[in-house]
Amino acid sequence: MARSRVPPAWLVRPLIATRNGIARVHQRLAPPEVTIFERSLGIVDTKALAVAADLGIADALGDGPRSAGELASSLGVDTDAVDRLLRFLVGRGVFRRGRDGRYANNRTSTLLREDDVGSLRAWARFFGAPWHVAIWNRLDHSVTTGRAAAGEALGHDFWAYLTTVDHGAGQVFDDAMAAVSRLQQAVIATKYPWPSGSRVCDVGGGTGTLLAAILDANPSCSGVLLDLPVVVTKAGPVLERAGVAGRVELVAGDFFDALPSRCDRYVLEAVIHDWDDDSCARILTRCREALPPGGRVLVLEQTVPGHDGDHVVKAVDLEMLVDAAGRERTRAEFEALFARAGLRVRSVIPIALLSVYELEP
């Protein structure tokens, strides 16, 4: 009698339920049918988290456990549907359910609260937003042509859509980028050796989250925040809350043009991966041209590993492709790109999720 290829349920079930840490074990032990089935359900995670974030469920549970009926009444949603949504998320490790059937926050769902110091609510809302999902729906266009899918999906390129067409989407995106930056900004601000009294230019720095952290940790330093006018005008409250507004010069501009001079460090955090090689070479060249003697360019990016195993940066690489035809890069690809702009790697410092490529002419 032929033996079944399907492992016993006690073995398969934890493999299906667990995402991180055992990806390779999963691939070896789970039958291929299970792998395909599970991977195809990824959109359920994305949209469930986004809807929970949009509705503010974690905020509604801030004062303690509540039943599905109580949540439905306060949020204006359907009791059965919100119960099923939370049942799924509890199984994914987001929220918890007590023996009395009431739902409560856990350490993970707390990150969906708007007022949590490490909140990733904006990230969940961005990734599951209808306009962003519409871009992913045209991944076929990107794979077929090598070009961004945003134009096909939205009728405008990614950046134009966020800055001129849908300002609400732009705000969600800005908030999401600030939330992700917070994951590593404290480490960046303290682990890199910022020279005493240096002037730091955050190129394409958004609303100034990273620059604020750097200046807060280095009181002798001052800063320049450069971004598009529609973005940099939102930086005031961020810098004020951090108590560093008096040490920051706000510059509305474009990093494809000449950059502010007299800065000792030019920082590019998660900028290079947004663009193709030609565009990146232009941005980096502008940084090199602005460097004073002894100045450095700091490129903060994830690096694509050399192995074929699972890694989050490979997923982010596809995100860059569909959004704006950007890309994540290997160490060798970074070095070739830097050389095009007349820069070389002086040091590489691993920091949290990123690496800091310290560059000199």
Side-chain angles (χ1 to χ4, degrees):
M1 184 176 181
R3 298 179 68 177
S4 170
R5 291 194 307 145
V6 180
W10 64 265
L11 178 60
V12 174
R13 192 170 296 116
L15 291 173
I16 295 175
T18 305
R19 287 281 184 182
N20 299 318
I22 60 167
R24 293 184 182 179
V25 176
H26 184 153
Q27 292 168 4
R28 288 198 303 267
L29 299 182
E33 297 88 350
V34 171
T35 299
I36 294 296
F37 185 78
E38 182 192 27
R39 294 293 184 267
S40 299
L41 293 173
I43 192 172
V44 182
D45 282 302
T46 299
K47 290 302 297 186
L49 281 172
V51 170
D54 281 335
L55 291 175
I57 292 177
D59 297 288
L61 293 173
D63 293 328
R66 303 178 76 175
S67 68
E70 292 169 334
L71 284 170
S73 177
S74 65
L75 298 174
V77 298
D78 182 80
T79 299
D80 177 64
V82 78
D83 191 34
R84 292 160 67 182
L85 173 70
L86 286 170
R87 177 178 64 185
F88 168 77
L89 287 171
V90 166
R92 303 304 275 168
V94 184
F95 299 102
R96 63 180 176 85
R97 180 162 55 178
R99 292 183 178 180
D100 59 1
R102 294 191 300 166
Y103 293 101
N105 281 323
N106 60 9
R107 290 179 62 186
T108 303
S109 66
T110 297
L111 296 176
L112 294 178
R113 289 188 58 168
E114 188 168 17
D115 61 355
D116 187 79
V117 66
S119 177
L120 288 172
R121 178 174 182 262
W123 176 261
R125 295 187 66 213
F126 155 58
F127 228 79
W131 60 270
H132 185 243
V133 173
I135 295 175
W136 272 100
N137 285 340
R138 294 312 317 270
L139 173 63
D140 61 317
H141 172 78
S142 292
V143 173
T144 301
T145 66
R147 296 194 294 269
E152 289 291 308
L154 306 175
H156 301 269
D157 75 54
F158 187 75
W159 305 114
Y161 183 80
L162 296 180
T163 57
T164 64
V165 178
D166 188 339
H167 294 292
Q171 185 62 57
V172 169
F173 177 79
D174 288 345
D175 292 344
M177 295 305 101
V180 173
S181 181
R182 281 195 298 269
L183 292 176
Q184 56 235 344
Q185 64 186 20
V187 183
I188 295 169
T190 56
K191 191 168 182 180
Y192 178 78
W194 303 95
S196 178
S198 61
R199 193 165 185 248
V200 179
C201 181
D202 194 352
V203 181
T207 55
T209 306
L210 175 61
L211 184 59
I214 293 170
L215 298 186
D216 181 57
N218 299 273
S220 69
C221 295
S222 60
V224 177
L225 180 66
L226 179 139
D227 213 312
L228 297 174
V230 70
V231 178
V232 78
T233 54
K234 305 174 188 176
V238 174
L239 302 173
E240 290 286 351
R241 283 196 299 271
V244 299
R247 288 188 279 143
V248 178
E249 176 187 355
L250 299 179
V251 177
D254 190 323
F255 45 50
F256 289 110
D257 300 327
L259 300 180
S261 60
R262 297 178 294 103
C263 295
D264 304 287
R265 296 293 183 271
Y266 289 83
V267 180
L268 294 161
E269 183 206 16
V271 170
I272 295 302
H273 74 169
D274 287 332
W275 302 91
D276 59 73
D277 285 356
D278 290 342
S279 299
C280 289
R282 289 175 56 198
I283 297 168
L284 289 165
T285 298
R286 293 290 177 261
C287 292
R288 177 180 55 76
E289 292 170 344
L291 282 177
R296 305 279 184 265
V297 178
L298 305 181
V299 171
L300 282 59
E301 294 284 354
Q302 299 183 82
T303 304
V304 177
H307 60 71
D308 287 333
D310 187 28
H311 196 286
V312 66
V313 72
K314 298 177 182 179
V316 178
D317 180 52
L318 291 180
E319 171 72 14
M320 297 302 103
L321 171 63
V322 297
D323 284 349
R327 66 185 308 125
E328 303 297 339
R329 294 172 172 87
T330 64
R331 170 72 180 265
E333 289 170 334
F334 273 123
E335 290 180 346
L337 182 62
F338 300 152
R340 285 186 58 182
L343 295 163
R344 64 184 177 190
V345 177
R346 178 182 174 87
S347 67
V348 181
I349 305 172
I351 291 182
L353 305 177
L354 305 176
S355 292
V356 177
Y357 288 89
E358 184 184 38
L359 312 178
E360 62 184 2

